[in-house]
């Protein structure tokens, strides 16, 4: 299984806007119909007292294998999903993508 984390650093004043957009629009372009897609979670950062602010939204997608994920990145569904990004001023930095292979699951 492949797990893909896409991390969006969001300016604090736009966090609620980004969260709402994420709930309404992420996943609306057919990712759930893609071969090998296993699921998605959207996480909104929350801060713990005495720790630095956590203003990230993380999209986690689960894929059967790397081939399934790569096929998605080449699909029309991927293109549609990335066609109308949020306003640039919402971001505190560049989004990043991390890919992991599950080596053990309990």
């Amino acid at each position: 299984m492949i797990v893909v984390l896409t991390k969006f650093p969001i300016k604090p004043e736009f966090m609620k806007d980004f969260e709402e957009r994420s709930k309404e629009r992420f996943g609306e372009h057919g990712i759930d119909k893609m071969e090998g897609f296993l699921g998605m979670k959207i996480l909104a950062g929350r801060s713990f007292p005495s720790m630095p602010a956590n203003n990230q939204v993380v999209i986690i997608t689960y894929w059967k294998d790397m081939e399934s994920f790569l096929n998605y990145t080449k699909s029309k569904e991927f293109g549609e999903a990335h066609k109308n990004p949020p306003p640039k001023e919402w971001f505190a930095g560049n989004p990043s993508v991390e890919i992991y292979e599950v080596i053990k699951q309990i």
Side-chain angles (χ1 to χ4, degrees):
M1 178 191 309
I2 297 295
V3 180
V4 180
L5 285 75
T6 306
K7 298 179 178 182
F8 298 92
I10 305 300
K11 292 179 182 174
E13 63 268 28
F14 297 111
M15 189 67 168
K16 289 294 178 197
D17 295 317
F18 195 87
E19 287 178 21
E20 286 305 311
R21 182 184 178 101
S22 299
K23 288 190 287 186
E24 293 171 8
R25 299 188 61 192
F26 288 11
E28 72 175 4
H29 295 289
I31 190 172
D32 58 332
K33 307 285 189 275
M34 296 298 300
E35 181 72 31
F37 176 76
L38 303 174
M40 172 189 284
K41 293 184 188 225
I42 302 172
L43 310 178
R46 297 295 183 255
S47 299
F48 185 76
S50 78
M51 298 293 290
N54 181 0
N55 293 316
Q56 285 201 71
V57 172
V58 180
I59 309 303
I60 304 173
T61 55
Y62 302 88
W63 299 89
K64 176 184 165 194
D65 51 30
M66 183 64 84
E67 181 181 5
S68 298
F69 172 65
L70 292 175
N71 286 339
Y72 170 64
T73 66
K74 299 171 189 170
S75 71
K76 66 177 174 49
E77 289 84 357
F78 182 86
E80 285 294 315
H82 294 85
K83 189 164 48 172
N84 296 311
K88 290 181 182 179
E89 61 267 11
W90 288 11
F91 294 93
N94 292 321
S96 64
V97 176
E98 298 176 9
I99 301 173
Y100 298 91
E101 182 175 3
V102 175
I103 58 172
K104 181 177 179 177
Q105 184 171 326
I106 300 173

